[in-house]
Amino acid sequence: QILAHQSSFFEALFFGDFKESSQSAITLEDVTVKEMLVILNIVYGKQRIQDGSVEDVLRLADKFGMEVILLAAEISGRTVLICIRSSSWPIDIS
């Protein structure tokens, strides 16, 4: 339920009137297992977003309708949380 609460895509998938809501396994297009594990670990608070995965996380957050993503970054030894709303996308992260 935590994932569904964070994502309109998964909320509709798990609790909507889709055949997938009653299946024990589904296939997600254009998402690798590694990318999905990163998203799950971030949503469940087990992992911070690493510098090399920011683009993938933002792409998947957009794909899955995650309206708010918190990016935790280490700046001068302190953790800084940056709130990004999808309405402000696209974001130039280069």
Side-chain angles (χ1 to χ4, degrees):
Q1 289 185 349
I2 292 172
L3 184 58
H5 181 71
Q6 296 293 323
S7 164
S8 59
F9 174 87
F10 287 107
E11 179 180 32
L13 188 68
F14 296 150
F15 302 109
D17 293 328
F18 296 99
K19 67 178 181 177
E20 291 87 356
S21 65
S22 62
Q23 295 177 336
S24 60
I26 59 166
T27 301
L28 297 173
E29 301 293 327
D30 301 325
V31 180
T32 67
V33 171
K34 183 179 176 182
E35 291 171 333
M36 195 63 213
L37 287 173
V38 168
I39 286 291
L40 290 172
N41 283 328
I42 290 168
V43 167
Y44 286 91
K46 295 181 179 183
Q47 178 179 335
R48 291 184 182 164
I49 299 172
Q50 306 298 315
D51 288 343
S53 66
V54 172
E55 283 187 53
D56 289 333
V57 169
L58 291 176
R59 177 180 59 80
L60 293 175
D62 187 44
K63 177 182 181 78
F64 296 138
M66 297 174 160
E67 293 295 320
V68 177
I69 291 292
L70 294 177
L71 301 178
E74 289 289 328
I75 299 175
S76 301
R78 297 184 313 167
T79 299
V80 179
L81 295 177
I82 305 164
C83 180
I84 299 177
R85 296 195 177 277
S86 61
S87 60
S88 62
W89 294 354
I91 299 170
D92 181 8
I93 56 174
S94 56

